[in-house]
Amino acid sequence: MDCQKIIKTLKNKDFVKVSHTGKCFENAAAVYAKEIKENIFLLFIILKDIDIENVQALIAHFDSFGSIGLKEPEQIMFYLSIKDKNDLHYFEQYLTTSNN
């Protein structure tokens, strides 16, 4: 899986990289978020492990954009974990669909 390509796509779709200091995400995780409705955010978390690259996507309710990474979400409405190249196909379709 090419995480650099994924990150470039997220930046082109107006996602913002979130600096996280809380315990919600792993320290080495790159977190990108976009508000899709008031206080409802689409997040992509990219974890780089020694053996695999893992991308997680979730739609969650937070108090505000600033609370992402500091507090746990109030509610998680959607979660997807992408661990291999077959899952990447669904991920790419989701990005295309969410643009409409």
Side-chain angles (χ1 to χ4, degrees):
M1 194 174 342
D2 186 359
C3 283
Q4 293 305 317
K5 181 179 176 185
I6 293 168
I7 291 170
K8 184 177 179 180
T9 301
L10 292 174
K11 287 180 180 178
N12 288 338
K13 297 205 178 272
D14 299 324
F15 281 81
V16 176
K17 186 171 185 178
V18 176
S19 58
H20 54 91
T21 56
K23 298 178 183 176
C24 300
F25 309 113
E26 292 183 27
N27 289 337
V31 180
Y32 291 86
K34 179 178 181 177
E35 189 170 30
I36 55 176
K37 199 172 186 181
E38 186 175 346
N39 294 332
I40 306 294
F41 297 89
L42 175 57
L43 277 75
F44 288 97
I45 301 117
I46 301 171
L47 304 168
K48 286 193 173 187
D49 197 348
I50 294 171
D51 298 325
I52 61 167
E53 291 178 331
N54 182 358
V55 177
Q56 299 170 354
L58 60 108
I59 296 174
H61 178 252
F62 287 91
D63 292 336
S64 66
F65 189 88
S67 67
I68 298 171
L70 296 176
K71 298 180 183 178
E72 293 288 330
E74 292 187 23
Q75 181 182 14
I76 295 176
M77 294 162 258
F78 171 82
Y79 175 83
L80 174 67
S81 179
I82 303 165
K83 294 185 180 180
D84 62 35
K85 291 187 185 224
N86 291 331
D87 294 335
L88 188 58
H89 171 72
Y90 299 109
F91 173 72
E92 288 172 343
Q93 282 186 333
Y94 186 78
L95 284 179
T96 302
T97 303
S98 67
N99 194 29
N100 295 331

